[in-house]
């Protein structure tokens, strides 16, 4: 493709079927305690 | 649905439901202008009709051949389900229900040795009188977590306050008790602490670096900024007391590996320091490379409050910070800024992203009296009390209420482009400032969206380097 560059593999939909184990960190426990940011969390799998 | 924007010379397109991020040229971007409606969806169901509209738009400006080449790439992305991909997540809403309780904010001290002017905990006592947690209640909190975490293996416990180091002996007793139960219950406790650092000494630093998987160290940035809003009880500033201690802790922590090397120096910015990128840079100059500086959340009448009026200035500052960080990264001097951290490949699964912050469902706060609240921000609001560790009770009606506060339970969120990155925002903020946990706190939303745009742009800039 000459007119676009895709930065990632875009596998979000796939993770909906394989995810949900609930073992990862509660988002509020990370650093903020006043907001909610989830995209910087790590998957435990 | 897509979200497209221009920032720092990049044309960025986020395909919301696949998570794909594309950097596109000007013609591609203009085509998207033509074929996208105001909600970010494709205007046309028929791609031939779509093509005709695009050709009409560019007629006389760009050759048909050139436009068809670019449009061919648009079509290819659509066919590969990475542009205007469908929202088929609602079918997973049944996975976003009641969860075991596996994370706890343990208020070991409802007392504090600082008098921060923006404190949501009323200078540490949450409006309920100064009190320390006793070891017996602390151990019951662990029993509570062991009981209600059911099959979850990884348990999190944040020592919080007030100021938790005012009750350090109890912290140690609770940790020892929890560790003694790990094997029997097949659990792993991850302890963290949020501290103002005043009481740190060599013994505590060594202990915390050994036992805490993450330490959040409060400091607002430049000395004059920090000391104006984070004075000690005697009115004097806290900067000179805490900075050397934090530097020592972080230096010693640097030798840890894996799960126990995490820390954040965490500040709050207010209307009084809208040039907060200088505070972030100052923290980095002090030698810290894990930094979080966040907007104050408060009623609008406070003199330091951030209101809608401040948003354009804050947006500008976030953009400045992002550009400054890119320049440092390119020189090999990069650092982490919590709200610009985004994992585009191995981040959390879609279920986690849609499940919400977890408060009152998988995450609770426990007071020195042993009362259970949905989270630390709810503590002191009597109506929201939802149990006690003393009799191991839980109000399951309230728990279910919070379980439903996932992204698809919130009208404002389910059609928002940022839903996979903020998880529906902070329920406590929504309740306090929007009147309902199922509504959204607009100022927080706008700030979050700007931070995400910057975070993605940083990725684009760094990808160009590779």
């Amino acid at each position: 493709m000459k007119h676009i560059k895709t930065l990632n593999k875009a596998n979000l939909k796939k993770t909906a079927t394989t995810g949900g184990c609930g073992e990862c960190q509660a988002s509020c426990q990370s650093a903020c305690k006043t907001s909610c940011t989830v995209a910087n969390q790590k998957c435990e799998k | 649905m897509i979200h497209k924007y221009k920032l720092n010379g990049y044309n960025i397109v986020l395909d919301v439901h696949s998570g794909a991020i594309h950097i596109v040229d000007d013609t591609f971007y203009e085509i998207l202008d033509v074929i996208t409606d105001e909600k970010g969806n494709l205007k046309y169901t028929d791609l031939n009709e779509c093509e005709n509209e695009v050709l009409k738009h560019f007629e006389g400006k760009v050759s048909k051949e050139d436009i068809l080449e670019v449009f061919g790439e648009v079509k290819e992305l659509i066919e590969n389900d990475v542009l205007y991909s469908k929202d088929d997540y609602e079918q997973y809403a049944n996975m976003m229900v009641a969860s075991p309780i596996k994370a706890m904010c343990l208020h070991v001290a409802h007392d504090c040795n600082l008098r921060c002017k923006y404190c949501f905990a009323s200078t540490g006592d949450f409006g309920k009188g100064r009190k320390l947690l006793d070891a017996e209640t602390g151990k019951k909190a662990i029993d509570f977590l062991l009981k209600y975490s059911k099959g979850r293996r990884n348990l999190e416990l944040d020592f919080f306050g007030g100021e938790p180091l005012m009750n350090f002996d109890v912290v140690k007793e609770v940790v020892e008790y929890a560790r003694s139960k790990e094997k029997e219950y097949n659990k792993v406790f991850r302890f963290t602490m949020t501290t103002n650092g005043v009481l740190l000494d060599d013994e505590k630093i060594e202990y915390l670096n050994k036992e805490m998987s993450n330490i959040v160290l409060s400091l607002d940035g430049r000395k004059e900024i920090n000391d104006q809003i984070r004075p000690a009880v005697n009115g004097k500033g806290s900067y000179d007391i805490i900075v050397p201690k934090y530097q020592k802790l972080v230096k010693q922590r640097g030798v840890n590996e894996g799960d126990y090397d995490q820390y954040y120096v965490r500040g709050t910015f207010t209307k009084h320091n809208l040039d907060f990128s200088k505070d972030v840079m100052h923290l980095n100059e002090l030698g810290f490379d894990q930094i979080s500086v966040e907007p104050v959340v408060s009623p609008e009448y406070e003199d330091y409050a951030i209101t809608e009026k401040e948003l354009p200035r804050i947006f500008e500052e976030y953009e400045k910070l992002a550009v400054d960080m890119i320049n440092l990264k390119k020189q090999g001097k990069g650092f982490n800024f919590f709200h610009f951290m985004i994992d585009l490949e191995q981040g959390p699964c879609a279920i986690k992203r849609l499940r919400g912050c977890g408060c009152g469902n998988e995450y609770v706060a426990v007071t020195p009296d042993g009362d259970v609240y949905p989270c630390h921000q709810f503590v002191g609001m009597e109506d929201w009390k939802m149990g006690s560790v003393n009799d191991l009770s839980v109000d399951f009606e309230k728990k279910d209420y919070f379980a439903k506060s996932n992204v698809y339970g919130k009208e404002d969120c389910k059609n928002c482009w940022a839903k996979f990155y903020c998880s529906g925002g902070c329920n406590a903020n929504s309740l306090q400032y929007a009147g309902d946990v199922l509504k959204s706190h607009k100022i927080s939303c706008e700030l979050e969206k700007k931070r995400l745009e910057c975070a993605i742009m940083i990725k684009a800039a760094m990808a160009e380097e590779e």
Side-chain angles (χ1 to χ4, degrees):
Chain A
M1 297 234 193
K2 280 161 64 180
H3 304 275
I4 75 138
K5 180 178 177 183
T6 301
L7 292 187
N8 56 349
K9 286 192 193 124
N11 52 4
L12 202 52
K13 285 195 177 181
K14 203 172 141 204
T15 70
T17 53
T18 56
C21 75
E23 289 290 350
C24 56
Q25 187 182 41
S27 39
C28 203
Q29 294 284 61
S30 45
C32 47
K33 295 271 184 187
T34 57
S35 64
C36 185
T37 304
V38 73
N40 55 16
Q41 306 258 309
K42 281 183 193 149
C43 176
E44 290 283 338
K45 279 192 174 175
Chain B
M1 189 200 309
I2 63 164
H3 173 65
K4 61 185 179 56
Y5 61 101
K6 290 171 183 269
L7 185 55
N8 194 27
Y10 298 96
N11 300 329
I12 298 171
V13 181
L14 165 67
D15 181 54
V16 175
H17 296 110
S18 70
I21 289 165
H22 312 290
I23 311 303
V24 306
D25 69 14
D26 288 338
T27 311
F28 196 112
Y29 197 87
E30 196 173 333
I31 289 177
L32 297 183
D33 280 338
V34 175
I35 65 175
T36 309
D37 70 16
E38 72 281 1
K39 288 181 176 164
N41 296 316
L42 186 61
K43 274 186 199 167
Y44 309 92
T45 45
D46 177 10
L47 283 181
N48 291 326
E49 192 188 350
C50 199
E51 187 178 294
N52 290 337
E53 285 303 315
V54 169
L55 288 172
K56 207 158 77 185
H57 174 82
F58 283 97
E59 202 174 353
K61 291 191 277 184
V62 185
S63 77
K64 187 176 174 183
E65 194 188 3
D66 286 349
I67 285 304
L68 285 177
E69 180 186 296
V70 187
F71 190 72
E73 294 189 5
V74 172
K75 275 204 296 195
E76 196 176 329
L77 293 189
I78 294 173
E79 282 156 12
N80 288 338
D81 212 21
V82 287
L83 194 67
Y84 306 108
S85 62
K86 287 200 174 59
D87 180 358
D88 38 19
Y89 291 93
E90 208 145 4
Q91 59 179 306
Y92 301 106
N94 63 350
M95 289 176 77
M96 296 167 220
V97 289
S99 299
I101 299 170
K102 55 98 174 189
M104 180 182 282
C105 183
L106 184 59
H107 294 225
V108 287
H110 272 187
D111 198 357
C112 192
N113 41 16
L114 292 185
R115 291 292 178 266
C116 306
K117 292 173 186 165
Y118 46 54
C119 183
F120 69 85
S122 310
T123 72
D125 74 351
F126 289 80
K128 296 280 178 186
R130 301 192 180 277
K131 194 165 191 180
L132 301 181
L133 178 87
D134 62 48
E136 196 192 339
T137 309
K139 289 174 188 175
K140 283 180 186 160
I142 296 296
D143 293 338
F144 180 94
L145 208 44
L146 289 170
K147 175 173 178 179
Y148 290 107
S149 56
K150 298 182 180 169
R152 293 282 190 272
R153 183 152 190 267
N154 296 321
L155 308 185
E156 301 147 38
L157 191 138
D158 187 39
F159 291 105
F160 201 67
E163 170 46 41
L165 290 181
M166 292 179 84
N167 201 7
F168 186 56
D169 287 340
V170 167
V171 169
K172 288 200 288 190
E173 274 194 70
V174 171
V175 169
E176 193 184 344
Y177 180 73
R179 293 272 184 245
S180 76
K181 300 285 180 187
E182 282 182 316
K183 208 170 171 187
E184 180 188 345
Y185 286 83
N186 190 28
K187 305 283 186 189
V188 175
F189 276 94
R190 288 175 182 160
F191 297 107
T192 57
M193 180 179 278
T194 303
T195 177
N196 66 31
V198 172
L199 294 175
L200 281 173
D201 58 24
D202 288 353
E203 181 212 337
K204 293 189 183 81
I205 287 173
E206 192 184 344
Y207 181 84
L208 295 177
N209 279 343
K210 183 169 153 264
E211 292 290 355
M212 302 293 136
S213 64
N214 185 17
I215 308 179
V216 179
L217 305 162
S218 302
L219 173 66
D220 281 358
R222 291 163 290 178
K223 179 175 161 67
E224 63 274 21
I225 298 297
N226 182 81
D227 285 357
Q228 194 270 332
I229 205 146
R230 297 183 64 82
V233 180
N234 64 10
K236 288 187 180 166
S238 53
Y239 181 97
D240 288 337
I241 304 169
I242 59 179
V243 167
K245 296 180 181 189
Y246 287 173
Q247 287 170 322
K248 193 168 198 179
L249 183 147
V250 168
K251 194 175 172 197
Q252 292 183 11
R253 197 167 179 76
V255 301
N256 288 349
E257 279 178 18
D259 284 349
Y260 283 72
D261 60 356
Q262 205 181 17
Y263 77 91
Y264 282 98
V265 172
R266 185 218 183 278
T268 298
F269 70 85
T270 72
K271 195 196 258 175
H272 300 317
N273 59 319
L274 296 176
D275 58 350
F276 60 90
S277 74
K278 289 183 180 151
D279 294 289
V280 175
M281 289 302 166
H282 179 76
L283 293 173
N284 184 235
E285 283 155 17
L286 289 174
F288 305 120
D289 59 1
Q290 309 289 325
I291 299 168
S292 179
V293 174
E294 313 200 8
V296 70
V297 183
S298 73
E300 291 213 347
Y301 58 73
E302 298 288 1
D303 67 336
Y304 54 76
I306 286 168
T307 67
E308 272 189 63
K309 259 200 314 201
E310 279 70 54
L311 292 180
R313 175 69 188 87
I314 295 173
F315 291 169
E316 205 179 284
E317 196 67 11
Y318 274 130
E319 289 181 16
K320 180 183 181 310
L321 177 61
V323 172
D324 289 349
M325 285 180 64
I326 290 167
N327 290 336
L328 283 174
K329 266 180 204 273
K330 286 182 178 174
Q331 296 167 43
K333 297 177 189 165
F335 62 89
N336 278 332
F337 178 68
F338 180 76
H339 274 139
F340 286 171
M341 287 162 67
I342 185 168
D343 187 339
L344 300 181
E345 298 289 356
Q346 297 298 322
C349 63
I351 304 302
K352 163 77 171 182
R353 290 165 185 257
L354 296 172
R355 208 175 243 163
C357 73
C359 96
N361 185 24
E362 63 174 13
Y363 170 67
V364 295
V366 173
T367 70
D369 288 321
D371 294 335
V372 176
Y373 286 88
C375 81
H376 56 291
Q377 301 249 11
F378 283 90
V379 166
M381 297 183 206
E382 211 53 39
D383 290 349
W384 291 95
K385 191 180 147 185
M386 57 178 289
S388 170
V389 302
N390 293 311
D391 59 4
L392 298 180
S393 62
V394 173
D395 179 340
F396 284 99
E397 212 172 298
K398 279 205 176 71
K399 189 173 179 300
D400 283 344
Y401 173 76
F402 283 100
K404 289 189 183 108
S405 70
N406 59 60
V407 167
Y408 282 88
K410 299 179 181 188
E411 279 306 314
D412 293 340
C413 299
K414 64 181 174 186
N415 293 317
C416 173
W417 67 264
K419 62 187 170 187
F420 287 105
Y421 303 88
C422 80
S423 203
C426 167
N427 283 334
N429 288 348
S430 299
L431 177 73
Q432 279 179 288
Y433 304 114
D436 191 332
V437 295
L438 297 179
K439 290 193 172 149
S440 53
H441 179 226
K442 291 290 174 206
I443 292 177
S444 296
C445 291
E446 293 310 311
L447 292 170
E448 176 71 8
K449 285 192 263 189
K450 175 47 92 177
R451 290 190 296 253
L452 283 168
E453 288 187 343
C454 290
I456 293 170
M457 184 275 287
I458 291 174
K459 292 281 184 193
M462 296 319 291
E464 209 175 46
E465 287 287 290
E466 285 162 8

